[in-house]
Structures are given as structure tokens and as C-alpha cells.
Amino acid sequence: MKLVLKRFLRERSAVAGAIVLAIVVAAALFGPLVVPYSPIAISHALLGHPLAPSLIHPFGTDLLGRDELARALIGARVSLTIGFTAMIVGIVVGTLYGAISGAAGGAVDALMMRVVDALLSFPTFFLIITVEALTDTFTLAVVVLVIGLLSWMGVARLVRGEILSLRERDFVEAARALGVGPARLLLRHLIPNALAPVVVAATLAVGDNILTEAGLSFLGLGVQVPTPSWGNMLQDALLPAAQSAPWLILAPGLLIVVTLLAFNLVGEGIRVAFDRSIAQDVGAAAAATAEEAA
Amino acid sequence: MSTYIVRRLLGAIPLLLVITFISYALMGLAPGGPTAILTREAHAMPPAARAHLIALLGLDRPWYVQYFYWLGALVHGSLGTSYVDGRPVLEKILEKLPVTLGLIVFSQVLTLLIAIPTGVIAAVRRNSLFDHVSTIVAFLAYGFPVFWLGLIFIDVFALHLRWLPAAGYASLGHEHDPLDHLRHLILPAVTLAIVSLASWIRYQRGAMLDVLGEPYVRTARSKGLSERVVIFRHALRNALIPTLTLLGLSLPSLVGGAYFLEYVFSIPGMGYLGLTAVFQRDYPTVMGITLLSAVLVVLGNLFADVAYAAADPRVRYD
């Protein structure tokens, strides 16, 4: 693990991504405590007359006279929370599904993978919209569940592949010979060894979920106003009155782009770090065998 | 090859069954249902009339029974009629299909025209300034929310510069003018292309790097062939083959992106129809769009695989 961290720190772009993420998270946590404006209270004096960015309002104000920065900071909390919790839902479901499918093998595996194929060969975003529109309830929990429960398929495939190759390894054989039951074998022996690619997938998933949330909220099917999220802030930007206020489009959008970029760079960095340290492990092992032989 | 195509099409049937079943289950299990909106909006609809309507639409049966009725009608070539305007769903969709296909093909052609040369140059001049810049730009573009980019383009190119129409599919008096349609599709197609560029550039660069490392490329170089011939005649042709696979893989997200953009740009295609139907709880139309989207993806995948076999003589499916 230490080796992986060392490798990761050597990837400059990944470290940059991690720093950006740290800043975004810190801003989401502490920003609202510092900014002296309410993200929700409407200013009647400024109603319909959004102010351009200035020293007093660095991101300007929106159509209802609310400070855009205050909204963006609370929006960061909302969007990051959804991205992260939906990731956990998706990763847990995907890991269990893929592991069970891979460990079961045979007809069960074939059937379970058909379902994954079906869901993957479908524009899932349309499905997410359909489900959201039909449930007609937009609490944070529902949005998280819908995004999480419809984004686990890639992880399931990944984990299944790992499990299939792990199943044949000697240590699994040994565990089985020692009388370890199937559930324990799966949870204690197989899944922990399949986690490296899952960590990468999880990092990328947070970014993708933020994007999905933004799309949903933009359509009015996600986080509901007055609670701001980066997605529903863009919803306001669609109103004709917003045309004279381009900062309303730019601020939340750029936050999404930068955050997503950071998650992708970090994910890519972790991938490279894992690959290299595995390569080095194998290299070290080979060197050791060569020495022994000599 | 033709047996392969037939086998693949037959193999797609269970896939389509799974997708339609899942969609039906989701709609059946969702609270409310299509008549909820009728009673909510009109207030006036008496309970007896509502019960009659529910029976008339067959909504009094459990959803899985409804699903089999729906399948039965499908076998006879019917997707049912819309709850909203009573028109056959198939007719409504086929009307919109060319619009969506036009948008998808247009944006895909743009993507390929930009991504393939960019990826190839980035690979040939590996670690050059061009390589780094294109990688960074691709990474950035990948994070653009597709609707956000659309909004910016509308703002800049339609509202401020007035070069292109901001929304819709036809100008007044030009309802059947293909060139006018094309003009309306430029902004959404460019938006969609930019968002999908990232993966294509990276993929093409990777494929080209792989091929450039092959022994036969070294052989070609050591024979004294010019760099131009090595790259274009020997390397590029093989580096294009993996790209064809991506054509199939990227299709679901491409279709999804197109649907979303139709909504942003008010283009009357399948996505606009589908999203409106979702909001109106027009179940037959939603199911029709779901099925046709899945069919579109299956056919696209098949096309990519067949093209793959046609391009690579080593690949044989039978």
C-alpha cells in the first residue's frame, strides 16, 4: 500500500487532481461558514436584476438576488454528497453482484451477466430519468438510490472478471481445503483481493455521479429548489432572463468541469500507481527466483 | 457472415426482453400511475369515470400481466397507442427517428473527423507539445456536462453572434428543407461531438501507439520506406480497426446524449418525445422509445462487429 502511495505521488497530474479535490472539499465544508450571505434568502431589492461578479459578490447574484458563491458552496456540499454516497451504493451492489456471479459460475453466472449486458447496452441515463420522473419524490435519498442502483453494472463486470481469475489461485484452493464456507470465502478471501480495480472505478464513479446528478437536477428531476446543487443552479440559467447574466451559466458549470477533471486525474493516477507497483512486485519476485536459482 | 448476423439478431432477443421487462417493472412498481395525473390536474374527473378509464387502458391488471399483453401486441407489430393523443406509438416514433439518427450520425462523423487525425498525430509525435495539449483538452472536454456546453453554445453562437438558430428543427417556411434541418443540427451535433471526443482521441492514440510498436512497422522502416508511407499505408490502416469496436461500445452513451440535447435544443426527435412522454406518464410511448433505443444500440453494435470483420481479414465469425 505504501508503494502504491509512493507511485501515486510521483504522478504529477494525479497529485494536482488530488490538491484540487482537497480544495473543493474544504470549500464545501468550511466555505459556507465564511461567506456572509444566505444561499436561500431572496433579496427583493435585487429580484430580477442579477449583479455581475464583483468584490462583494465574487460569483455575482442570481435572478432572485441570492449570492451565487454562497449557493455554489452549499451546492458543492449537495453535489459531492450525492456523488459520494451514490458511489458507495453502486460499488457495494456492483461488487457483491459481480463477486456472486463470478463465484457461482455456470448458469447462474451466465444469467446474471445477461442482465448486466442488457442494462449496459441501454442509454441508462434515459432509464434514470424515467425512474426519477415516475417515483415523483425527490428527496436526497431517492436521488442517491436511483443513481447508485443504476450505475453498478461496470463494477459488477470488473469484479466478476477478477473473481474468475482469483478462483483458480492456490490460496483460494487452500482456504477451501481448510473448510472455509462459501460466504466467508467470498467476503474474506476473494473480494479483498479484487479491490484494486474497484478503487479506480470508485474514484471515477464519484465524478460520473456528479454529472448524472447535474443532468437530473437540470431537468428538475433531482435536487429540488430552494436547496442548491450545481445541476439545479444551471436550471435557472435556462430562463430567458438569465441571458444577460452569463456568470449564472459559467460558475456552476465550471465547478462541475474542474471537479470531474480532478476525479479523473486522481483515478488515472491510482490506476497507474497500482499497475506499476504490481509490475514491480512481479519484477522483484522474478529477481528473487533468479537469485535462488543462481 | 450472414449466418453470423442472423445468430446475433436472434441472440439480441433475450436482451431486448430483459430490457423491456425491467422497464415495465419499473413503471408498474412506481407509485401514481398514468391516471394519477388526470385526477390531479382536472380534479373534476369522478371516481367512476376514472375506474372506467383504468379498466379501458387495462391498468387494473397487475403490471406483469400488462407486460404480456404488451408483448402480445408487439408480436403483431403494434406498440400500442399513446395515452396523450391516441395515435399509434410506432407511427409517432418513426416520425421522429430520422431526426435523432441525423443528429447521431452528424455528430459521430464530426467526432471521427477530429478524433482520428488528432489521435494519430498525438501517437506519432508522442510526448510532443501537441500530444500533451490534446490529452489535456480531451480530459477537460470529458468533464463537460453535455447540456451545459449546449447552453453556452446557444448563448454565444445563437443569441450573441446570431450565426445559428438557438432551437428547433426547422425555420418558418422551411419545414421540409434538409439544408435548414442541417443548420439546426450544427450546434447540438458539435456539442455532442466535443463531449465524446475525449475517449475517441485517447483510444485512437493508444491504438496507433500499439501498432507503431509492432515488428512489421520496424520492418517497413528498415526497408527504407519513407515515414509517410509507413504511417499511412502500414500503420494507420491497422490502427483504425480497434476504433470500430469503440463505435459499438460508445453507442448507448451517444444515444443518451442525443436524447438529452434534443431536450436542451427543443429538437423534435425521439429523445424529446421520450422525455415529454416520461413527464406525461404516457407509458406506451415510453415503452416504445425504450424498445427502439435498445434496438438501435443492438443494431449499432452489430454494425460495428461486422465492420470489424470486414476491415480485419483475420477476424472471421462463423
Side-chain angles (χ1 to χ4, degrees):
Chain A
M1 208 58 221
K2 228 168 151 186
L3 191 65
V4 172
L5 187 68
K6 222 170 94 189
R7 292 280 164 191
F8 181 85
L9 290 177
R10 213 174 285 172
E11 296 289 313
R12 262 180 304 167
S13 55
V15 172
I19 293 174
V20 170
L21 275 190
I23 294 173
V24 173
V25 171
L29 283 177
F30 306 115
L33 309 175
V34 179
V35 174
Y37 302 102
S38 156
I40 292 167
I42 294 166
S43 154
H44 291 280
L46 295 174
L47 206 62
H49 298 286
L51 295 177
S54 64
L55 276 178
I56 310 162
H57 297 288
F59 283 17
T61 61
D62 74 357
L63 296 173
L64 299 176
R66 297 171 295 201
D67 180 56
E68 187 80 350
L69 178 60
R71 289 182 65 71
L73 289 171
I74 294 289
R77 280 188 185 176
V78 174
S79 294
L80 286 173
T81 308
I82 292 181
F84 197 78
T85 40
M87 174 275 280
I88 294 192
V89 173
I91 292 292
V92 168
V93 173
T95 304
L96 284 178
Y97 191 99
I100 292 172
S101 181
V108 178
D109 178 40
L111 184 72
M112 286 176 85
M113 280 301 120
R114 282 273 89 172
V115 173
V116 169
D117 287 345
L119 286 170
L120 273 179
S121 71
F122 192 77
T124 335
F125 190 63
F126 184 65
L127 212 57
I128 293 181
I129 291 173
T130 311
V131 176
E132 268 299 340
L134 292 178
T135 41
D136 217 13
T137 38
F138 306 110
T139 59
L140 229 54
V142 170
V143 176
V144 164
L145 276 180
V146 170
I147 296 178
L149 290 181
L150 286 171
S151 62
W152 50 269
M153 292 82 75
V155 179
R157 223 182 223 183
L158 207 68
V159 171
R160 172 183 172 267
E162 290 288 313
I163 297 287
L164 281 184
S165 73
L166 285 174
R167 240 171 40 153
E168 309 303 326
R169 298 269 284 275
D170 291 339
F171 74 93
V172 177
E173 190 68 28
R176 229 184 256 131
L178 284 170
V180 174
R184 195 181 155 81
L185 191 71
L186 202 62
L187 291 175
R188 299 304 283 280
H189 296 271
L190 288 173
I191 292 181
N193 280 298
L195 281 186
V198 174
V199 173
V200 177
T203 315
L204 300 178
V206 180
D208 287 344
N209 291 342
I210 290 177
L211 206 57
T212 310
E213 179 276 323
L216 274 178
S217 301
F218 173 71
L219 290 174
L221 295 172
V223 180
Q224 298 295 297
V225 285
T227 306
S229 85
W230 290 343
N232 73 17
M233 288 172 72
L234 282 167
Q235 196 181 15
D236 292 354
L238 200 59
L239 299 171
Q243 274 159 27
S244 55
W247 58 91
L248 294 181
I249 303 183
L250 286 176
L254 283 177
L255 285 172
I256 296 175
V257 173
V258 168
T259 310
L260 221 75
L261 178 68
F263 273 112
N264 286 338
L265 289 176
V266 172
E268 193 70 13
I270 298 176
R271 188 202 314 275
V272 172
F274 269 125
D275 281 357
R276 293 238 173 103
S277 43
I278 287 167
Q280 206 171 59
D281 276 354
V282 173
T289 350
E291 256 170 50
E292 260 169 47
Chain B
M1 179 57 84
S2 54
T3 39
Y4 170 73
I5 294 177
V6 171
R7 213 175 51 208
R8 275 287 298 268
L9 288 177
L10 288 177
I13 291 176
L15 199 87
L16 296 177
L17 282 177
V18 172
I19 287 179
T20 52
F21 184 78
I22 292 174
S23 314
Y24 228 94
L26 288 173
M27 289 196 292
L29 296 173
T35 56
I37 215 159
L38 288 178
T39 47
R40 193 194 305 158
E41 269 178 5
H43 293 298
M45 187 177 243
R50 187 183 170 194
H52 178 69
L53 185 67
I54 287 178
L56 195 72
L57 296 175
L59 291 167
D60 50 346
R61 295 179 294 234
W63 63 268
Y64 43 89
V65 178
Q66 291 178 44
Y67 176 66
F68 284 103
Y69 276 96
W70 182 81
L71 272 187
L74 185 66
V75 174
H76 293 98
S78 163
L79 285 171
T81 52
S82 161
Y83 290 165
V84 173
D85 55 11
R87 287 180 56 204
V89 169
L90 190 63
E91 191 186 303
K92 281 179 81 163
I93 294 178
L94 288 182
E95 211 174 86
K96 312 287 186 198
L97 187 64
V99 181
T100 300
L101 282 182
L103 175 56
I104 290 176
V105 171
F106 189 0
S107 84
Q108 192 58 50
V109 168
L110 279 178
T111 307
L112 293 177
L113 281 180
I114 302 170
I116 290 178
T118 311
V120 168
I121 296 174
V124 172
R125 299 181 201 279
R126 190 181 184 181
N127 289 330
S128 67
L129 185 66
F130 183 88
D131 186 17
H132 291 304
V133 171
S134 69
T135 306
I136 293 170
V137 170
F139 249 118
L140 261 179
Y142 177 77
F144 283 160
V146 65
F147 57 94
W148 180 67
L149 200 59
L151 288 177
I152 291 182
F153 280 177
I154 291 177
D155 211 58
V156 174
F157 295 106
L159 300 176
H160 283 110
L161 296 172
R162 297 184 181 281
W163 288 351
L164 291 160
Y169 187 54
S171 315
L172 246 103
H174 292 271
E175 279 73 16
H176 300 286
D177 178 357
L179 273 180
D180 186 57
H181 291 336
L182 207 61
R183 239 169 62 83
H184 279 87
L185 287 183
I186 291 178
L187 282 185
V190 170
T191 310
L192 195 53
I194 289 180
V195 175
S196 41
L197 264 180
S199 43
W200 285 91
I201 291 178
R202 282 170 59 81
Y203 205 75
Q204 187 60 62
R205 177 179 177 274
M208 191 69 186
L209 279 179
D210 284 349
V211 170
L212 287 177
E214 294 277 335
Y216 78 87
V217 171
R218 204 179 332 132
T219 312
R221 281 200 178 122
S222 57
K223 273 199 314 193
L225 291 178
S226 73
E227 197 57 22
R228 174 192 288 271
V229 174
V230 171
I231 287 167
F232 286 100
R233 291 280 294 280
H234 293 253
L236 182 59
R237 286 169 70 169
N238 281 317
L240 285 178
I241 294 173
T243 311
L244 289 171
T245 334
L246 193 62
L247 211 56
L249 290 176
S250 69
L251 213 62
S253 67
L254 190 64
V255 172
Y259 283 4
F260 206 3
L261 278 177
E262 285 175 10
Y263 193 78
V264 175
F265 284 89
S266 311
I267 294 168
M270 277 171 62
Y272 194 81
L273 180 69
L275 285 176
T276 331
V278 168
F279 288 125
Q280 293 170 331
R281 299 186 173 236
D282 185 357
Y283 286 6
T285 309
V286 174
M287 280 311 296
I289 300 271
T290 304
L291 181 65
L292 257 106
S293 317
V295 169
L296 214 62
V297 170
V298 166
L299 288 181
N301 272 319
L302 182 60
F303 171 79
D305 285 350
V306 170
Y308 189 75
D312 187 343
R314 286 168 307 179
V315 178
R316 283 279 166 268
Y317 306 111
D318 5 61

